[in-house]
C-alpha cells in the first residue's frame, strides 16, 4: 500500500474512457424495458418524453461540470459539498450518495441474475448474482484501464445489436408501413396530453441516472479538469439520441395503442418485445434479450468502481475508517474500498434475490439516494460559486432549476423509497454524531 499522507489514484482515463463508463452505466437500451410504461403514460409520444427528460437532466450535468472542474477529486458530490458547504454537509452528501452507489451494483447483478435465469432456468439466481459480483470485482481490482477495455467490447456489442434493430425496423417501416402516423411519436396522434407527457418525463429522467458516476473518476483522468464535464455532456447527448431513435421506431411498429397499454398494464412490461415479435420477427428477440441480460453486469462494473471511489474519498478524509482511503501501489486502485463495496453488493444482492420484490425495492432505494445527492450537488454550486466566488445570483439560476426538477422527481418517488431514505439519513446522523463525540474525546 502507498504510505503518503494524501493517497492518490493513478491517472489513466481519457475522455473516451469516461464516456464508455458513462454509457455502460446508463445502458443504451434502457428504454426497451420502460417503453410500454412510457407509451401508455405519454399517449404514444415516448421520443418526445426523452427529449424533455434529457433537457431536465441537463441542469444536473451543468452543476456536475462546474464542480468537477473546480474540485477534481474522487467522491464527486461528497467532495463538492465539502468545498461548497463544509465538512458536516459533505458527510451527509456522501452518506446519501452511498445509498445510490453502494446498492446499485446489487440491483444490476440481481437484474442480470433474474434475466439470465429466465433464459437458463437450471441456473439459480443467487449463483448468477454471485458470479456477477466476482467478475466485476476482479476487473475493478485489475485497474480501470483494463475495465474500460472490457467495457468497450460490451458497448460495441450493444451498439451493434441496437443498430440491427434500427435497420430492421426502418426496413419494415419503408416496405410494410407504420402502425401509427409518422409524426405521432413527436406530436401525438390527436391531441397532446401535456400532463401525461410531463408525468412520463419524470419516469424517463431516471433512465439517465448513472451518467453522474463519471465524476467519481476525476482524479484518474489524463487530461485537464474539464474532461469530466465534456464526458458528461457527450454521455447525455449520445444517450438521448439513441433513446429517441429506438423509441421512435418502436412507437411506429408497436401493435398496441397507448389506450390498450393503459387498460392492460400487464402488457406494458413486455410491450417492446411484443413489438419485436409482431413487426420484425422473433429472430431478434433472443439476441436482444441476451444482451439485456448481460449488460447490467457492466453497469455494476462502473457502479462498483464509483462506489469504491466514494468510500476511498470518505476514508481518506477520515469520515469513514481510514483503511478505506488506501491505494494499491501496483494497480493504483482503492483496493480496500473495492473489496468492501463488493462485500456489500454480495450481501445485499443475495438477500434481495430471496425476496420476490427485492429488485423493485433496490431500484427505489438507489433512485432516491441519487436524487438527494443531486440536491446536495446543486446547493454546493450555489455555495461555491454564488457565495464563495462572489458570482451572485447568476451562478444560482441553473442549480435552482435543477433543484426544482429533482424535488418534483422525489415527490413522484414511492413512499417505501422515501421511508428507506429517511431511515438511512437517521443512521447517518447517528454515525456522524458518534464520530463527532469520538473526535471531541480525542482532542480533550
Amino acid at each position: 500500500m502507498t504510505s503518503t499522507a494524501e493517497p492518490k489514484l493513478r491517472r489513466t482515463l481519457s475522455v473516451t474512457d469516461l464516456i464508455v463508463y458513462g454509457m455502460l452505466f446508463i445502458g443504451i437500451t434502457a428504454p426497451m424495458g420502460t417503453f410500454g410504461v412510457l407509451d401508455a403514460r405519454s399517449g404514444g409520444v415516448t421520443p418526445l418524453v426523452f427529449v424533455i427528460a434529457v433537457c431536465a437532466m441537463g441542469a444536473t450535468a451543468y452543476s456536475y461540470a462546474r464542480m468537477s472542474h473546480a474540485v477534481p477529486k474522487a467522491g464527486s458530490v461528497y467532495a463538492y459539498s465539502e468545498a461548497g458547504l463544509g465538512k458536516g454537509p459533505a458527510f451527509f452528501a456522501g452518506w446519501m450518495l452511498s445509498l445510490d452507489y453502494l446498492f446499485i451494483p446489487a440491483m444490476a447483478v440481481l437484474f442480470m441474475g433474474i434475466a439470465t435465469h429466465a433464459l437458463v432456468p437450471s441456473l439459480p439466481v443467487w449463483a448468477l448474482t454471485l458470479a456477477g459480483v466476482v467478475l466485476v470485482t476482479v476487473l475493478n481490482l485489475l485497474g480501470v484501464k483494463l475495465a474500460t477495455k472490457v467495457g468497450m467490447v460490451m458497448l460495441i456489442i450493444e451498439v451493434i445489436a441496437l443498430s440491427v434493430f434500427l435497420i430492421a425496423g426502418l426496413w419494415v417501416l419503408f416496405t410494410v408501413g407504420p402502425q401509427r402516423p409518422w409524426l405521432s411519436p413527436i406530436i401525438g396522434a390527436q391531441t397532446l396530453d401535456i400532463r401525461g407527457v410531463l408525468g412520463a418525463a419524470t419516469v424517463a429522467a431516471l433512465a439517465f441516472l448513472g451518467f453522474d458516476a463519471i465524476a467519481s473518476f476525476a482524479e484518474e483522468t489524463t487530461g485537464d479538469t474539464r474532461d469530466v464535464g465534456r464526458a458528461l455532456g457527450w454521455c447525455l447527448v449520445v444517450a438521448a439520441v439513441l433513446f429517441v431513435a429506438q423509441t421512435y421506431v418502436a412507437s411506429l411498429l408497436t401493435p398496441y395503442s397507448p389506450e390498450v397499454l393503459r387498460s392492460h398494464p400487464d402488457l406494458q412490461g413486455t410491450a417492446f418485445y411484443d413489438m419485436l415479435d409482431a413487426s420484425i420477427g422473433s429472430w431478434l428477440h433472443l439476441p436482444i434479450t441476451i444482451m439485456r441480460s448481460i449488460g447490467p453486469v457492466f453497469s455494476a462494473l462502473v457502479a462498483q468502481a464509483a462506489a469504491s471511489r466514494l468510500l476511498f474519498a470518505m476514508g481518506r478524509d477520515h469520515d469513514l475508517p481510514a483503511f478505506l482511503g488506501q491505494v494499491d501501489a501496483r494497480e493504483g486502485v482503492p483496493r480496500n474500498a473495492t473489496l468492501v463495496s463488493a462485500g456489500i453488493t454480495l450481501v445485499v444482492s443475495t438477500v434481495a434475490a430471496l425476496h420476490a420484490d427485492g429488485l423493485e425495492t433496490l431500484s427505489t432505494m438507489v433512485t432516491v439516494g441519487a436524487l438527494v445527492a443531486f440536491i446536495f450537488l446543486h446547493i454546493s454550486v450555489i455555495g461555491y460559486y454564488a457565495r464563495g466566488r462572489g458570482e451572485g445570483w447568476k451562478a444560482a439560476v441553473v442549480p435552482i432549476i435543477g433543484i426544482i426538477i429533482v424535488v418534483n422527481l422525489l415527490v413522484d418517488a414511492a413512499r417505501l423509497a422515501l421511508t428507506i431514505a429517511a431511515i438511512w439519513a437517521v443512521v447517518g446522523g447517528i454515525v456522524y454524531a458518534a464520530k463527532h463525540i469520538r473526535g471531541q474525546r480525542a482532542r480533550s
Side-chain angles (χ1 to χ4, degrees), residues 25 96-105 212 365-367 369-370:
F25 205 152
M96 295 309 296
L97 184 61
S98 70
L99 189 60
D100 175 19
Y101 283 179
L102 284 177
F103 292 100
I104 202 169
D212 54 291
M365 290 167 60
V366 301
T367 296

Side-chain angles (χ1 to χ4, degrees), residues 198-220:
L198 294 178
T202 63
V203 177
L206 303 178
F208 292 97
L209 293 185
F211 80 98
D212 54 291
I214 294 173
S216 301
F217 305 100
E219 284 188 30
E220 296 164 86

Side-chain angles (χ1 to χ4, degrees), residues 43-64:
V45 291
T46 305
L48 176 62
V49 164
F50 276 109
V51 171
I52 296 172
V54 75
C55 291
M57 295 305 294
T60 298
Y62 170 87
S63 290
Y64 265 111

Side-chain angles (χ1 to χ4, degrees), residues 317-328:
D317 289 352
H318 303 288
D319 275 334
L320 289 178
F323 80 95
L324 294 171
Q326 297 176 337
V327 178
D328 181 79

Side-chain angles (χ1 to χ4, degrees), residues 85-97:
L85 304 174
K87 287 286 292 182
F91 173 85
F92 283 98
W95 185 262
M96 295 309 296
L97 184 61

Side-chain angles (χ1 to χ4, degrees), residues 41-134:
R41 292 188 64 170
S42 68
V45 291
T46 305
L48 176 62
V49 164
F50 276 109
V51 171
I52 296 172
V54 75
C55 291
M57 295 305 294
T60 298
Y62 170 87
S63 290
Y64 265 111
R66 292 217 75 184
M67 291 308 296
S68 64
H69 172 56
V71 188
K73 298 179 67 177
S76 65
V77 176
Y78 167 74
Y80 309 154
S81 296
E82 183 174 359
L85 304 174
K87 287 286 292 182
F91 173 85
F92 283 98
W95 185 262
M96 295 309 296
L97 184 61
S98 70
L99 189 60
D100 175 19
Y101 283 179
L102 284 177
F103 292 100
I104 202 169
M107 183 185 73
V109 295
L110 178 58
F111 182 87
M112 179 276 298
I114 293 172
T116 306
H117 174 73
L119 292 172
V120 189
S122 60
L123 297 177
V125 174
W126 67 266
L128 292 166
T129 56
L130 173 62
V133 173
V134 171

